[in-house]
């Protein structure tokens, strides 16, 4: 191993995570550390933005630049970072409540802009940090503190939404398979454009329905399906629909589309810092005087 080779250890921090033992979020953290190391990214080249929830702690435990923001707001921060310095590798992460509840508007707009970021949604079908309430991806009939008689609504279908919106990379992973999750994270980070990875990350403490065993029994691996060669978003959508979206793998990847910063800036240069932000009030007055 050369001295300069980046390893997972470069993305570790001293503080131990406080997630419950067995929480799927540990695998997401390990897979992400492995993915960026495999891509030989340096910690100072990576920014991870998170929202609120157990998932939000990811940025505290990942040894890169990070921003732990407000509920549902990991995407606005990530998009701002990428536009300000698109040489950085920018990753946003959050939970199903964070991203598909309060953050839903940001999700749709980030996809239509094709901002060159990776968005990892740690989907455990429940609100974990607040001790177990029905979330946007909980199944109809799901019983929790907030829906003791069972959820009345159909769940959000994030993969359908992403495909219908024309997201340029759509994938799904499972915390019970760290190898496949790592491969998917690597592909998502390498993709130029918006990459959604819905990552099933079981909440072992509060969700006794969507457990590791439940997912292992139901999930279908797309890489084992020889007939899976979708030529369009709609073909991909129809295919995964027959499995009720319980699939893992890269569902659709669209190459060659311009990323948002290329659309608005054209060149690949980092935009200059606004001089107004760097000078004193007196200097500003002097600068403006020719026009007054
Ligand atoms: Fe993980 Fe659930 Fe514990 Fe939160 S409450 S750390 S999601 S197992």
């Amino acid at each position: 191993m050369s001295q300069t080779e980046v390893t997972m250890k470069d993305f570790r921090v001293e503080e131990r995570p406080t997630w419950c033992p067995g929480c799927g979020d540990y695998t997401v953290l390990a897979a992400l550390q492995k993915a960026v190391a495999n891509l030989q990214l340096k910690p100072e080249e990576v920014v991870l933005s998170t929202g609120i929830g157990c998932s939000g702690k990811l940025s505290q435990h990942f040894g890169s630049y990070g921003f732990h923001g407000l509920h549902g707001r990991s995407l606005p921060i990530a998009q701002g970072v990428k536009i300000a310095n698109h040489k950085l590798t920018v990753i946003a992460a959050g939970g199903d409540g964070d991203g598909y509840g309060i953050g839903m508007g940001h999700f749709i707009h980030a996809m239509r802009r094709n901002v060159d970021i990776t968005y990892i949604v740690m989907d455990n079908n429940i609100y974990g940090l607040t001790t177990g309430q029905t979330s946007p991806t909980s199944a109809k009939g799901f019983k929790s503190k907030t829906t003791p008689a069972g959820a009345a609504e159909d769940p959000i279908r994030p993969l359908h939404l992403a495909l219908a919106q024309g997201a340029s990379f759509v994938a799904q992973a499972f915390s019970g398979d760290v190898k496949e999750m790592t491969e998917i994270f690597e592909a998502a980070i390498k993709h130029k454009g918006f990459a959604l990875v819905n990552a099933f990350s079981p909440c072992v403490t509060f969700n006794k329905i969507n457990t590791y065993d439940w997912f292992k029994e139901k999930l279908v691996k797309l890489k084992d399906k020889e007939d899976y060669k979708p030529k369009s978003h709609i073909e991909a959508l129809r295919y995964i629909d027959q499995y009720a979206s319980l699939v893992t793998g890269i569902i659709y990847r669209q190459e060659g589309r311009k990323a948002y910063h290329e659309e608005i800036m054209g060149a690949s240069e980092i935009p200059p810092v606004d001089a107004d932000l760097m000078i004193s009030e007196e200097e500003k007055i002097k600068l403006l005087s020719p026009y007054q």
Side-chain angles (χ1 to χ4, degrees):
M1 181 191 300
S2 85
Q3 289 200 327
T4 54
E5 185 172 350
V6 178
T7 70
M8 280 178 78
K9 285 185 188 161
D10 293 304
F11 288 90
R12 285 191 185 140
V13 300
E14 274 185 30
E15 189 192 23
R16 289 169 68 94
T18 53
W19 293 311
C20 308
C23 176
D25 296 358
Y26 285 100
T27 303
V28 175
L29 175 62
L32 189 57
Q33 289 167 327
K34 183 81 177 138
V36 287
N38 287 349
L39 294 169
Q40 289 299 292
L41 293 167
K42 298 189 182 99
E44 63 270 24
E45 296 168 340
V46 180
V47 180
L48 174 61
S49 158
T50 58
I52 296 294
C54 296
S55 59
K57 296 178 187 172
L58 194 73
S59 57
Q60 295 173 17
H61 305 312
F62 187 76
S64 70
Y65 286 114
F67 193 102
H68 192 170
L70 298 176
H71 198 209
R73 311 299 174 215
S74 62
L75 281 176
I77 300 296
Q79 291 175 82
V81 170
K82 188 68 190 182
I83 291 161
N85 184 350
H86 45 262
K87 292 189 175 169
L88 292 168
T89 294
V90 182
I91 302 162
D96 42 306
D98 185 82
Y100 303 143
I102 193 168
M104 176 58 90
H106 301 302
F107 175 49
I108 300 291
H109 289 289
M111 285 190 289
R112 79 183 174 93
R113 292 181 188 124
N114 199 32
V115 185
D116 184 18
I117 59 179
T118 298
Y119 184 35
I120 299 168
V121 181
M122 295 143 87
D123 185 359
N124 54 19
N125 314 99
I126 201 164
Y127 284 93
L129 187 68
T130 46
T131 72
Q133 294 82 20
T134 295
S135 88
T137 58
S138 302
K140 189 169 186 178
F142 185 82
K143 290 187 180 171
S144 75
K145 293 171 182 169
T146 45
T147 54
E153 305 101 325
D154 283 318
I156 292 284
R157 294 187 288 179
L159 304 180
H160 281 56
L161 279 174
L163 291 166
Q165 182 50 54
S168 60
F169 184 104
V170 183
Q172 189 155 263
F174 170 46
S175 283
D177 188 341
V178 66
K179 184 170 177 291
E180 186 182 46
M181 184 177 273
T182 304
E183 290 166 3
I184 290 171
F185 285 169
E186 273 185 61
I189 292 167
K190 274 167 44 185
H191 175 72
K192 193 182 77 175
F194 185 86
L196 168 71
V197 183
N198 194 67
F200 289 130
S201 175
C203 172
V204 293
T205 303
F206 295 109
N207 191 335
K208 302 300 183 188
I209 304 291
N210 308 107
T211 61
Y212 284 95
D213 286 344
W214 187 91
F215 282 111
K216 278 179 190 160
E217 191 187 314
K218 296 193 179 311
L219 285 174
V220 172
K221 277 187 195 294
L222 289 175
K223 64 182 175 190
D224 294 341
K225 296 282 175 191
E226 286 181 9
D227 64 330
Y228 190 62
K229 295 184 177 92
K231 294 189 183 62
S232 67
H233 289 87
I234 194 71
E235 273 187 30
L237 193 154
R238 286 200 184 110
Y239 193 96
I240 64 162
D241 198 50
Q242 66 184 313
Y243 297 107
S245 300
L246 288 168
V247 297
T248 58
I250 296 171
I251 292 156
Y252 195 68
R253 179 167 29 192
Q254 181 186 24
E255 307 284 6
R257 192 172 147 198
K258 274 188 187 174
Y260 187 62
H261 65 267
E262 294 170 331
E263 289 282 3
I264 61 171
M265 294 173 203
S268 60
E269 293 300 312
I270 298 173
V273 174
D274 185 342
D276 279 358
L277 299 174
M278 307 295 289
I279 60 177
S280 67
E281 285 302 310
E282 279 179 6
E283 287 172 311
K284 257 193 222 174
I285 290 164
K286 273 190 215 160
L287 275 172
L288 288 170
S289 57
Y291 306 102
Q292 291 174 335

